[in-house]
């Protein structure tokens, strides 16, 4: 079985895989980084979105052996160095951008890629950019709001029956 | 209002672990020594199993065991939870639902064997090495044909494939027929409530473990209700004693109904774990999810609305065929009956309602409750036929609804479909809707759309649902084989912080944040000191789980009751500490005091005292501070709402664009508005998906054509408009201690007819006389309807 | 998926040699092929990755053409052709989604010739030339029906030369589930006339709509297409559309492509 080396979230890692092992399984089973999820088998749901050499990639649609020597970022490496949520993660919490949380790692990674390319995306641009990430829970409204907030833009006025969110306990 | 208590839009605490990739879903658990199961699934819809030769598969690398249906021939059947009787009094036909198919396969995806191997891929390799002979039989797919054909049988001893023929309320049958016969106007509509695949983004996954030293089993599984799963496995399927089986539903990635049910894969991994003495894991692929998760809806309906020429409703009559698939899933018989027929009076003072439902077996995946479960079918039929009626009579769609609304002074209101509504104010909801949706400005927006060549339409809908499922007494009379109460334990620890063990299961609903708000509000303590424990039968008292918009109304009420009991006991302790009678002690803002004196003790001191009872009068006060309550509601709750949607139709291509969606709902009191808004938005997306995108298609041979995301259109971010949600209009539930009604299913119930009504309106305003188009309103369907108009 | 040997050649010659051994399959971006492997729809002995092969990803501009390396990703094409050929840039930027675009390649898409893919319409409508390790193939001769191309076993696309149009637009009507083209039309105007290619519609795969081209060559305006329809007989009929609907969409998308060109 081949052994591959990757720099994962800033740390050099090696893992033994089969040729047929998908990158997502190398991360989940090999490195126990289970934050990257598998939601489909046709490369469409986006729950496994990670970054490889700075670009968003569906980890279910890349062989682990293809990632030999690559720089890989996953959801586990996104928080701030003090362990607190980064700007995007915090915005998702602030704007209720997640419910069951299963698509969330992919959403956060897709958002990071989007904001790198387009620091102030509009509503339509955000929705276009999220085409490859399916969420069954939120109706995407909280996610779109979170991305607007994370990019320093105003969020559509809160529903007037609803007070502004307060800090989590 | 306590800061952070009931009514506060507290951000969700569970988000932190999910956002950091530290949620622990079932597939994230891999106990030491885990081996993997893969299933051999039928690629034909209907066939007789002639032989299965596992010899070659057993010799494949890594293979540990092979199971077939024969291994489970003598164990029990996965049952239907509700016994429905037909109109003639005969009980429904209930086939055995085995762990693995035995004798016959009955739908594409039906598992007839399983291989356990060291790795998942090895197990899948070995499945392909099974030598199997299955004699193909004609597939039963179309419901009408299934009922008509006595020879072609899903279950060999059931000619005609009819599970039951149910009438509701049977005694109203004649009167309703007579009322329709005599009515000055009758609107008739035939429609299909399209079959849906739930598609929680986390596929199902189960891990079975067995400890030969103790005989204890453990099942970690993607479940919305671990206790119900344990009960089904223990009492019906495998006979494992409940006290030897722990079922854990850890973080679960969405359910929408599909993870309520017990599935054969769960029994298989438990059995395999015992035989092998190792943990056995199975994780569904998305393809397996499409083929084997219980689907939703799939009704074919004819509805008649009889009314006066001024639009006053006289009668509603519904004839429905409901597909139950090849086997009866656990709630499948309740969904088209008591969650559907009982809602067929809607929000209206109609005097006559009759519903007939024929449930039909077909060679397709089982069909069961999916977000809304029966109530979306009721609302869709009713609100579509009302819209058609309004159009025929030339009455404004809002006016015809307002004309027939039950009025606020009529509660409690006994509906003609057999339920007693406790509270509501439908005109108030419509008022909110008219304002929030700026209905006055519609004509200007329509003219602007027209200038761009688009047909703009406005769809209106009002709905009522029965939630907080359910009063055991009532559902028992209706055929339920279980009670539907819930339970909670509030444990105050010695240092004053609190653990609350709840029977509801959170898989996106935010219980870990919302339930502490209730307890904090009652105790006057910081919600941050309260933790929720759920999803583990070894840690929580009992629970019937999360579905039917019941968690807050039923389990939240149990939390309330248990907290009340804690307060009673704490008051006794405080009284003892202050040497006064408990009757003299006030409790407010986390402090016990004696009015008129300077005596007080703080919450934390009472908690500590409960565990250091050096001077307790033990015959009067036990040590400890922990209480459990089981709460069984007195009635369903009745959330209601008014929805508006605007669409633009491209007349050249038939493309429908939802440009606005506004939901005004009455959920009673709201504990966490942030979470409630999110729940409604999610439901709206699923409803818009049903209306426009989601199409589950079996061909005549029973092959599922829409079996992946390549062909089953899930709503994506760019399919949806800004979703406006308003839950400011409140009438409290009169019978639960929180005054709450439940919000989880509303969006999925209210939105489909709203969207379809809007499209029909758009076409009509464009001069196209199209009475109805069946969901999903795909471009080709809308375009084809335009060609034929 | 079934297991296989994995070859990761650094040069074209090594790649060609690896593909010559047994039942080998070239792997470009893998956005179609890996899902197929996952579902056990293919069982090659060897996968030959082209990612490491030098010189296959460059995009070079001449006066009137773009030469695009076969392994250029959709994302890179979208980024780097925006100035020279905005219609191509927009086409690439609307394929799949963000993550698919960072892996999927032009060469992979052309070699697969999915009847609903976008690039084949572009290649045909621009009169592109497909370069392989062995020869140059005109787009006209390259597409041979659904999932069929002129490529021989083991032949590798190295680059595609695309003549830049004076005006062009690709109008895509998406199939809402897969987000592939239910019908996609690439209309382009060149000094010697107009070219129109249609993907997604025909059971014969991507095709040129010559009647539309004749009218547009006279006058490259949407109104030139008035009254022009295409027969539904050869259209695809599936879950998502009927033959008449697809035929209708061909006309509508062609007109819209010209309007936006």
């Amino acid at each position: 079985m081949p052994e591959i080396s990757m720099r994962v979230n800033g740390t050099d890692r090696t893992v033994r895989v089969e040729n047929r092992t998908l990158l997502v399984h190398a991360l989940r089973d090999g490195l126990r980084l289970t934050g990257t999820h598998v939601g489909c088998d046709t490369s469409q749901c986006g729950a496994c979105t990670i970054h490889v050499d700075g670009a968003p990639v569906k980890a279910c649609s890349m062989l682990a052996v293809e990632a030999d020597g690559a720089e890989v970022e996953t959801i586990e490496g996104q928080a701030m160095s003090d362990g607190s949520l980064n700007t995007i993660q915090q915005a998702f919490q602030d704007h209720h951008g997640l419910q069951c949380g299963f698509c969330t790692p992919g959403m956060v990674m897709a958002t990071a890629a989007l904001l790198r390319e387009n620091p102030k995306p509009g509503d339509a641009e955000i929705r276009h950019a999220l085409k490859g990430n399916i969420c069954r829970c939120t109706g995407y409204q909280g996610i779109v709001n979170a991305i607007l907030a994370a990019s320093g833009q105003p969020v559509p006025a809160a529903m007037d029956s609803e007070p502004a969110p307060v800090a989590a306990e | 209002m306590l800061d952070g208590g009931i009514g506060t839009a507290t951000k969700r605490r569970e988000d932190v672990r999910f956002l950091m990739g530290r949620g622990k879903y079932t597939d994230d658990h891999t106990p030491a020594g885990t081996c993997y199961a893969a299933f051999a699934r039928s690629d034909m819809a209907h066939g007789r199993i002639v032989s299965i030769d596992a010899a070659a598969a057993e010799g494949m690398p890594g293979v540990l065991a092979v199971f077939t249906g024969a291994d489970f021939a003598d164990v029990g059947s996965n049952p239907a939870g509700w016994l429905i009787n037909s109109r003639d009094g005969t009980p429904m036909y209930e086939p055995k639902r085995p762990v693995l198919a035995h004798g016959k396969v009955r739908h594409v995806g039906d598992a007839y064997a399983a291989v356990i191997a060291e790795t998942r891929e090895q197990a899948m390799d070995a499945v392909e090495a099974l030598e199997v002979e299955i004699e193909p039989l004609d597939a039963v797919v179309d419901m009408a044909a299934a009922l008509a054909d006595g020879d072609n049988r899903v279950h060999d001893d059931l000619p005609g494939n009819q599970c039951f023929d149910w009438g509701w309320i049977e005694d109203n049958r004649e009167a309703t027929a007579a009322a329709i016969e005599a009515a000055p106007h009758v609107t008739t509509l035939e429609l299909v409530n399209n079959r849906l695949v739930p598609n929680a983004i986390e596929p199902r996954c189960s891990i079975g473990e067995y400890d030969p030293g103790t005989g204890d089993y453990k099942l970690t599984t993607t479940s919305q209700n671990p206790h119900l799963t344990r009960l089904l496995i223990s009492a019906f399927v495998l006979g494992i004693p409940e006290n030897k089986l722990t079922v854990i539903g850890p973080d679960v990635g969405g359910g929408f109904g599909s993870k309520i049910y017990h599935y054969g894969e769960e029994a298989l991994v438990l059995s395999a774990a015992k035989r092998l003495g190792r943990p056995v894991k199975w994780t569904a692929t998305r393809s397996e999810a499409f083929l084997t998760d219980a689907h939703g809806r799939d009704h074919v309906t004819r509805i008649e609305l009889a009314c006066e020429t001024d639009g006053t409703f006289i009668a509603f009559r519904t004839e429905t065929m409901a597909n139950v698939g090849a086997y009866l899933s656990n709630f499948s018989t309740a969904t088209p009956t008591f969650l559907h027929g009982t809602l067929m009076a809607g929000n209206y003072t109609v005097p006559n309602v009759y519903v007939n439902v024929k449930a039909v077996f077909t060679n397709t995946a089982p069909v069961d409750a999916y977000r809304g479960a029966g109530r979306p079918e009721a609302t869709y039929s009713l609100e579509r036929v009302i819209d058609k009626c309004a159009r025929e009579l030339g009455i404004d769609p809002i006016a015809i609804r307002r004309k027939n609304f039950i009025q606020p002074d009529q509660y409690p209101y006994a509906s003609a479909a057999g339920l007693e509504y406790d509270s509501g104010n439908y005109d108030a909801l419509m008022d909110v809707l008219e304002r929030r949706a700026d209905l006055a400005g519609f004509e200007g927006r329509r003219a602007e759309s027209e200038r761009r060549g688009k047909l703009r339409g406005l769809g209106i809908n009002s709905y009522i649902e029965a939630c907080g499922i359910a009063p055991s007494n009532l559902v028992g009379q209706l055929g339920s084989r279980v009670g539907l109460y819930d339970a909670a334990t509030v444990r105050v620890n010695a240092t004053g912080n609190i653990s609350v063990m709840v029977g509801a299961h959170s898989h996106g609903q935010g219980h870990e944040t919302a339930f502490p708000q209730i307890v904090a509000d009652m105790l006057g303590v910081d919600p941050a000191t309260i933790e929720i424990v759920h999803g583990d039968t070894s840690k929580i008292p009992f629970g019937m789980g999360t579905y039917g918009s019941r968690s807050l109304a039923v389990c939240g009420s149990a939390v309330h009751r248990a907290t009340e009991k804690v307060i009673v006991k704490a008051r006794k302790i405080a009284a003892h500490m202050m040497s006064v009678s408990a009757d003299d002690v006030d409790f407010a803002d986390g402090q016990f005091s004696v009015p008129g004196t300077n005596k007080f003790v703080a919450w934390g001191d009472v908690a500590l005292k409960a565990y250091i009872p050096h001077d307790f009068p033990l015959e009067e006060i036990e040590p400890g501070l922990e209480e459990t309550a089981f709460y069984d509601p007195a009635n369903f709750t009745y959330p209601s709402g008014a929805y508006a949607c605007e669409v633009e139709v491209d007349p050249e291509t038939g493309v429908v664009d939802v440009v606005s969606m506004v939901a005004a709902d009455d959920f009673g009191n709201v504990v966490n508005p942030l979470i409630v808004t999110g729940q409604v938005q999610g439901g709206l997306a699923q409803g818009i998906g049903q209306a426009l995108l989601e199409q589950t298609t079996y061909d005549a041979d029973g092959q599922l054509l829409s079996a992946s995301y390549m062909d089953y259109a899930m709503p994506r971010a760019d399919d949806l408009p800004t979703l406006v949600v308003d839950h400011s209009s409140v009438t409290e539930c009169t019978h639960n201690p929180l005054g709450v009604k439940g919000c989880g299913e509303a969006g999925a119930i209210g939105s489909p007819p709203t969207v379809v009504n809007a499209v029909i309106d758009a076409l009509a305003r464009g001069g196209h006389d199209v009475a109805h188009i069946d969901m999903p309103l795909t471009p080709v369907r809308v375009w084809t309807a335009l060609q034929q108009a | 998926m079934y297991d296989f040997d994995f070859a990761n050649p650094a040069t074209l010659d090594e790649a060609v040699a690896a593909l010559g051994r047994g039942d080998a399959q070239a792997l470009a971006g893998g956005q179609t092929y890996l899902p197929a492997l996952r579902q056990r729809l293919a069982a090659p002995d060897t996968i030959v990755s082209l990612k490491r092969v030098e010189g296959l990803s460059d995009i070079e501009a001449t006066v009137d053409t773009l030469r695009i390396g076969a392994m250029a990703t959709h994302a890179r094409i979208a980024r780097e052709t925006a100035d020279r050929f905005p219609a191509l840039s927009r086409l690439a930027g609307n394929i799949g989604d963000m993550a698919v675009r960072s892996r999927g390649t032009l060469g992979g898409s052309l070699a697969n010739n999915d009847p609903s893919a976008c690039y084949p319409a572009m290649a045909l409508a621009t009169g592109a030339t497909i370069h392989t390790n062995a020869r140059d193939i005109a787009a006209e001769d390259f597409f041979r029906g659904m999932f069929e191309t002129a490529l021989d076993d083991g032949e590798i696309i190295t680059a595609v030369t695309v003549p830049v149009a004076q005006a062009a637009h690709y109008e895509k009507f998406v199939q809402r589930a897969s987000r592939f083209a239910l019908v996609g039309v690439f209309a382009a105007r060149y000094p010697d006339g107009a070219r129109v290619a249609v993907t997604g519609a025909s059971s014969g795969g991507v095709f040129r709509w010559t009647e539309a081209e004749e009218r547009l060559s006279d006058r490259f305006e949407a109104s030139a297409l008035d009254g022009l329809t295409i027969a539904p007989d050869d259209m695809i009929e599936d879950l998502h559309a009927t033959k008449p609907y697809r035929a209708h969409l061909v006309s509508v998308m062609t007109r819209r492509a010209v309007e936006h060109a």
Side-chain angles (χ1 to χ4, degrees), chain B residues 670-727:
Chain B
V670 167
V671 171
N672 184 321
L674 186 72
I675 291 173
V676 168
T677 295
Q679 288 291 308
V680 178
Q681 287 168 339
L684 292 175
Q686 284 176 303
I688 294 170
Q690 171 169 29
L692 297 182
L693 297 168
E694 298 182 37
Q695 181 170 13
T696 309
T697 306
Y698 284 94
D699 70 11
D701 297 325
Q703 293 293 330
L704 181 62
L705 302 181
S706 48
S708 81
Y709 292 149
M710 294 295 282
D711 289 303
Y712 188 91
M714 291 282 282
R716 321 262 181 125
D718 63 347
D719 292 315
L720 300 168
T722 298
L723 302 169
V724 177
V725 173
D726 188 307
H727 30 79

Side-chain angles (χ1 to χ4, degrees), chain B residues 309-321:
Chain B
T309 51
D310 69 353
T312 302
F313 299 157
I314 298 170
F316 304 147
R317 180 167 61 188
T318 305
E319 299 276 339
T320 285
M321 286 184 292

Side-chain angles (χ1 to χ4, degrees), chain C residues 25 29 61 68 72 83 176 179 185 188 195 198 207 212 217 220 247 252:
Chain C
Q25 173 67 43
I68 303 171
D83 294 336
R176 298 287 273 274
R179 303 299 173 117
V185 176
R195 293 170 67 98
V198 181
F207 69 96
S217 293
F220 197 79
V252 175

Side-chain angles (χ1 to χ4, degrees), chain B residues 32-79:
Chain B
T34 293
C35 50
Y36 295 85
F39 287 85
R41 298 188 182 279
S42 177
D43 58 7
M44 64 181 79
H46 196 191
R48 203 168 299 286
I49 300 170
V50 178
S51 63
I52 301 174
D53 181 350
E58 282 167 343
M60 298 275 289
V63 171
L64 300 167
V66 176
F67 292 83
T68 67
D71 293 302
F72 296 94
D74 299 327
V75 306
S77 172
N78 186 6

Side-chain angles (χ1 to χ4, degrees), chain A residues 15-105:
Chain A
V15 59
R16 213 165 264 293
V17 296
E18 291 184 278
N19 285 325
R20 61 177 165 176
T21 305
L22 295 168
L23 178 54
V24 69
H25 290 129
L27 294 169
R28 287 180 55 81
D29 302 336
L31 299 179
R32 305 301 302 146
L33 293 170
T34 55
T36 301
H37 297 150
V38 180
C40 76
D41 41 20
T42 50
S43 190
Q44 281 165 307
C45 80
C48 65
T49 304
I50 60 169
H51 297 179
V52 176
D53 294 329
V57 161
K58 293 183 177 178
C60 76
S61 299
M62 182 169 172
L63 297 172
V65 287
E66 292 182 282
D68 192 21
E71 182 98 27
V72 173
E73 286 176 68
T74 72
I75 188 67
E76 287 91 345
Q78 296 300 298
M80 310 294 277
S81 53
D82 66 356
S84 63
L85 300 179
N86 74 12
T87 305
I88 293 168
Q89 292 168 317
Q90 189 59 57
F92 269 70
Q93 188 191 26
D94 292 348
H95 295 277
H96 197 16
L98 62 150
Q99 290 182 21
C100 80
F102 195 80
C103 76
T104 305

Side-chain angles (χ1 to χ4, degrees), chain B residues 308-613:
Chain B
E308 306 288 355
T309 51
D310 69 353
T312 302
F313 299 157
I314 298 170
F316 304 147
R317 180 167 61 188
T318 305
E319 299 276 339
T320 285
M321 286 184 292
N323 201 335
V324 290
Y327 304 99
L328 294 179
S329 177
N330 302 135
F331 272 53
S332 61
T333 52
T335 301
T337 54
F338 292 108
L339 297 176
H340 164 243
T342 55
L343 273 302
M344 283 310 307
N347 315 44
Y348 309 108
T349 54
V350 59
N352 300 289
V353 173
Y354 178 73
V355 181
N356 174 232
V357 178
K358 294 181 173 69
V360 186
F361 289 104
T362 58
N363 291 118
T364 65
V367 181
D368 205 330
Y370 165 71
R371 199 172 197 167
R375 292 148 292 167
E377 294 90 320
T379 298
Y380 183 68
S381 301
L382 201 49
E383 295 296 321
R384 281 291 302 128
V385 79
I386 290 171
D387 227 61
K388 182 166 184 251
C389 175
R391 207 167 285 288
E392 287 172 357
L393 295 176
I395 303 176
D396 174 80
I398 294 179
I400 197 170
R401 289 176 169 87
R402 284 188 184 272
K403 185 177 192 65
N404 291 283
F405 277 160
I406 298 159
Q407 294 301 304
D409 60 2
Q410 292 179 279
Y411 295 99
Y413 183 84
S415 93
L419 294 176
E420 185 175 281
Y421 302 163
D422 65 334
S423 66
N425 188 338
Y426 311 137
D427 278 309
L429 284 164
M430 199 58 91
D431 294 343
V432 171
L433 183 74
E434 293 198 36
R435 180 171 55 82
R436 292 304 302 266
D438 182 27
L439 297 190
F442 173 75
E443 181 48 38
R445 295 190 292 276
R446 193 203 60 75
E448 192 277 327
S449 297
E450 189 176 10
R451 283 194 288 278
R452 287 183 287 106
K454 298 289 174 63
L455 307 176
R456 195 179 188 106
L458 170 65
I460 297 291
N461 172 50
S462 52
Y463 77 87
I464 186 166
E465 50 173 332
C467 293
I469 293 172
S472 297
N473 179 18
L474 179 55
V475 298
Q477 295 172 43
L478 300 179
S480 175
R481 290 162 163 168
V482 292
L484 290 170
Y485 47 85
D486 220 289
T489 297
V490 175
R491 175 181 298 154
V492 183
N493 299 309
T495 53
N497 57 40
I498 297 165
S499 304
V500 183
M501 280 60 79
V502 296
H505 184 278
S506 186
H507 37 277
Q509 296 85 349
H511 298 170
E512 292 169 37
T513 301
F515 284 158
Q517 293 182 244
I518 300 170
V519 180
D521 204 88
M522 295 174 71
L523 296 182
V525 302
D526 182 351
T529 65
I530 303 166
E531 284 287 318
I532 297 300
V533 179
H534 65 96
D536 184 336
T537 60
S538 69
K539 293 181 179 167
I540 60 180
F542 198 77
M544 293 307 290
T546 288
Y547 44 82
S549 307
R550 72 190 302 274
S551 295
L552 182 61
V554 185
C555 189
S557 294
V559 170
H560 189 279
R561 287 274 173 86
T563 307
E564 280 181 336
K565 291 185 183 178
V566 163
I567 293 170
V568 168
K569 169 121 185 236
R571 189 190 304 273
K572 270 195 204 170
I573 298 171
H576 169 70
M577 291 168 76
M578 295 184 285
S579 304
V580 297
S581 155
D583 296 340
D584 297 332
V585 175
D586 262 11
F587 178 55
D589 301 327
Q591 182 167 288
F592 296 90
S593 59
V594 182
T597 75
N598 60 359
K599 289 184 174 181
F600 70 92
V601 285
W603 170 256
D605 295 330
V606 174
L608 188 62
K609 187 74 184 172
Y611 291 90
I612 309 179

